[in-house]
Amino acid sequence: MSVGPRINLNLNVRGLPNSATVAINERCNQLIADGRQVYKLGLGQSPFPVPESVVEALRQNAHQKDYLPVKGLRALREAVAGYHSRRADIVRTGDDVLIGPGSKELMFLLQMVFYGDLVIPTPAWVSYAPQARIIGRQVRMVQTLRENDWHLQPERLAELCAEDPSRPRILILNYPANPTGRSYSRAELEALADVAMANNVVLLSDEIYGELHHEGNHASIAPFYPEGTIISSGLSKWCGAGGWRLGTFLFPKRMRWLLDAMASAASETFTSTSAPIQHAAIRAFEGGPDIERYLLDERRVLAGLGRWSALALQAAGAHCPAPHGAFYLFPDFEAHREALAARGILDAPALCERLLEDTGVAILPGVEFGRPRTELTARLAYVNFDGEAALAELAAQDDPSAPVDEDFLRRRCGETLTAIERICEWVQG
Ligand code: PLP
């Protein structure tokens, strides 16, 4: 038997490419090394620094060196439960919280220990489906419509459940959404919760962008289906700390068996999340006036920039509603199909490739988010600006409720504006 290169790769991993967002970042870095000007709207990383008080908490805890309990530091689990009680009006205790090295890892563990189909409304974040594939779970991608704001309709969920009513399922709902920036209304969440509850579907509510709702108005589905919803969150987006790798799951009491099973799997894999990071995260989840001000200022920048960008893309003929939260837009260039076809551009990957070659602007094709290849959609992440400088300017202002104006955006996010203008000019030929 040969043990040469690749022969013994697990079949679920064989042929699996690197995550699209990581790949576009590497491609951009190569172009920059070749001397090209590149506008990086591909990778969705927070442009903002970690709040100073949280960085200070990390400094104070650099000496923490012991392995921590597998479910997480008790004080952090309590702080996370308290945070959710304040934010989403769902009262839980630290016993209902699981800490992990990023919510992505917790999602992977969930799929490892829960036997059932994964239901993913598309467009969806790039990693849900590959995780299911690695583990060998069935994935049901449910296409949504632009006319419905790319939202899963309750009737569609009911139809899917009716195909095999007793089949175990996890439905992932992500809002504010990567890649669309749009969120569900309370009424929509309630209607989906009713169908999920009636069919015993486990809801994984990915609320990692909840704090980055631009109006500070995020609503969770959990209060509508408390016994069946797991809330996923973490430090990566609102706290600007993606590289710190800390994610959280909040479970219903009725699902303690699932939390315990995930903890058993964690104990045999990552053991526990980094000790200094967990200690510092307590400060972030306990919050306080400085964190509130930081969040307000982040939202002001993202709201102004998201709105400006969406309006510019709309004026250039794209379908692109203004975002509710996060830092993504998902324009649909269907209106330009004929003109693009005349330039030899027939699908979304060709659109993104040519855009990058002609203008230096890097965005990701909709097919990476589970959309049909020929649909002319793409995701752009409006994050290529100096978030530290933008926050510093806003922190010096007295009125944290005042929206930012175009002068501010030109001064602080000029490169993003230029990138959007380049897309608009390019698509119009
Ligand atoms: N969920 C969504 C929708 C994301 O966009 C991301 C990161 O890009 C994650 C989850 C994973 O976040 P982390 O593993 O850093 O907690």
Side-chain angles (χ1 to χ4, degrees), residues 202-218:
V202 172
L203 275 185
L204 179 63
S205 184
D206 183 351
E207 302 181 29
I208 191 115
Y209 297 101
E211 288 292 4
L212 294 183
H213 187 287
H214 295 170
E215 312 294 324
N217 229 348
H218 174 68

Side-chain angles (χ1 to χ4, degrees), residues 44 102-105 107 125 128 174 178 206 208-209 233-234 236-237 242 245-247 328:
S103 61
K104 195 178 195 171
E105 183 64 27
M107 287 172 197
W125 179 49
Y128 302 132
N174 167 227
N178 175 4
D206 183 351
I208 191 115
Y209 297 101
S233 188
S236 297
K237 309 299 173 179
R245 308 309 300 130
L246 187 130
Y328 305 107

Side-chain angles (χ1 to χ4, degrees), residues 170-227:
I170 300 178
L171 165 66
I172 302 193
L173 277 189
N174 167 227
Y175 53 99
N178 175 4
T180 68
R182 305 283 289 173
S183 209
Y184 285 85
S185 68
R186 283 181 169 76
E188 287 174 308
L189 292 174
E190 189 168 6
L192 282 169
D194 287 348
V195 178
M197 199 184 317
N199 291 281
N200 275 320
V201 174
V202 172
L203 275 185
L204 179 63
S205 184
D206 183 351
E207 302 181 29
I208 191 115
Y209 297 101
E211 288 292 4
L212 294 183
H213 187 287
H214 295 170
E215 312 294 324
N217 229 348
H218 174 68
S220 171
I221 196 168
F224 301 116
Y225 182 23
E227 68 278 23

Side-chain angles (χ1 to χ4, degrees), residues 83-408:
Y83 160 86
H84 282 292
S85 308
R86 283 196 310 278
R87 295 295 203 220
D89 206 14
I90 25 175
V91 181
R92 301 276 160 78
T93 71
D95 288 333
D96 305 312
V97 174
L98 182 62
I99 307 294
S103 61
K104 195 178 195 171
E105 183 64 27
L106 290 176
M107 287 172 197
F108 189 75
L109 275 190
L110 172 66
Q111 295 192 60
M112 278 285 293
V113 305
F114 182 92
Y115 182 79
D117 287 3
L118 189 69
V119 180
I120 308 174
T122 75
W125 179 49
V126 292
S127 288
Y128 302 132
Q131 285 195 346
R133 186 176 153 198
I134 291 169
I135 294 165
R137 295 280 177 266
Q138 292 275 355
V139 182
R140 289 295 303 267
M141 302 291 258
V142 183
Q143 298 289 342
T144 66
L145 298 176
R146 184 179 106 173
E147 292 68 34
N148 294 331
D149 214 6
W150 310 112
H151 282 173
L152 176 64
Q153 302 300 297
E155 303 77 32
R156 185 69 195 92
L157 180 61
E159 247 169 57
L160 187 136
C161 294
E163 285 172 17
D164 183 354
S166 59
R167 204 176 175 91
R169 297 180 174 91
I170 300 178
L171 165 66
I172 302 193
L173 277 189
N174 167 227
Y175 53 99
N178 175 4
T180 68
R182 305 283 289 173
S183 209
Y184 285 85
S185 68
R186 283 181 169 76
E188 287 174 308
L189 292 174
E190 189 168 6
L192 282 169
D194 287 348
V195 178
M197 199 184 317
N199 291 281
N200 275 320
V201 174
V202 172
L203 275 185
L204 179 63
S205 184
D206 183 351
E207 302 181 29
I208 191 115
Y209 297 101
E211 288 292 4
L212 294 183
H213 187 287
H214 295 170
E215 312 294 324
N217 229 348
H218 174 68
S220 171
I221 196 168
F224 301 116
Y225 182 23
E227 68 278 23
T229 306
I230 302 167
I231 300 181
S232 175
S233 188
L235 289 185
S236 297
K237 309 299 173 179
W238 69 266
C239 199
W244 286 24
R245 308 309 300 130
L246 187 130
T248 64
F249 267 19
L250 183 76
F251 289 81
K253 297 230 175 299
R254 227 185 63 176
M255 283 192 204
R256 184 69 51 79
W257 57 275
L258 196 51
L259 189 162
D260 289 342
M262 284 175 66
S264 300
S267 75
E268 302 295 1
T269 52
F270 60 77
T271 305
S272 61
T273 304
S274 158
I277 300 293
Q278 289 203 55
H279 282 277
I282 297 172
R283 178 70 191 80
F285 283 103
E286 280 180 351
D290 67 314
I291 302 277
E292 286 309 313
R293 179 62 197 252
Y294 167 88
L295 285 168
L296 278 175
D297 290 343
E298 279 187 316
R299 291 175 191 144
R300 286 162 82 193
V301 180
L302 295 176
L305 187 55
R307 194 176 158 70
W308 187 96
S309 306
L311 290 178
L313 287 158
Q314 286 167 21
H319 173 91
C320 187
H324 294 127
F327 32 66
Y328 305 107
L329 290 173
F330 196 65
D332 183 347
F333 297 103
E334 180 59 33
H336 300 90
R337 182 174 290 282
E338 267 183 38
L340 288 168
R343 290 153 72 183
I345 298 167
L346 302 176
D347 58 22
L351 184 147
C352 295
E353 186 56 39
R354 284 280 291 282
L355 180 73
L356 181 58
E357 272 170 31
D358 295 347
T359 66
V361 179
I363 60 177
L364 285 170
V367 66
E368 299 291 354
F369 302 88
R371 300 302 303 173
R373 195 179 171 84
T374 50
E375 180 182 273
L376 296 175
T377 49
R379 185 197 78 174
L380 59 90
Y382 46 95
V383 293
N384 61 332
F385 61 90
D386 180 347
E388 187 163 4
L391 287 192
E393 180 172 336
L394 292 185
Q397 295 178 0
D398 293 334
D399 180 7
S401 64
V404 299
D405 59 16
E406 187 165 343
D407 282 349
F408 173 90

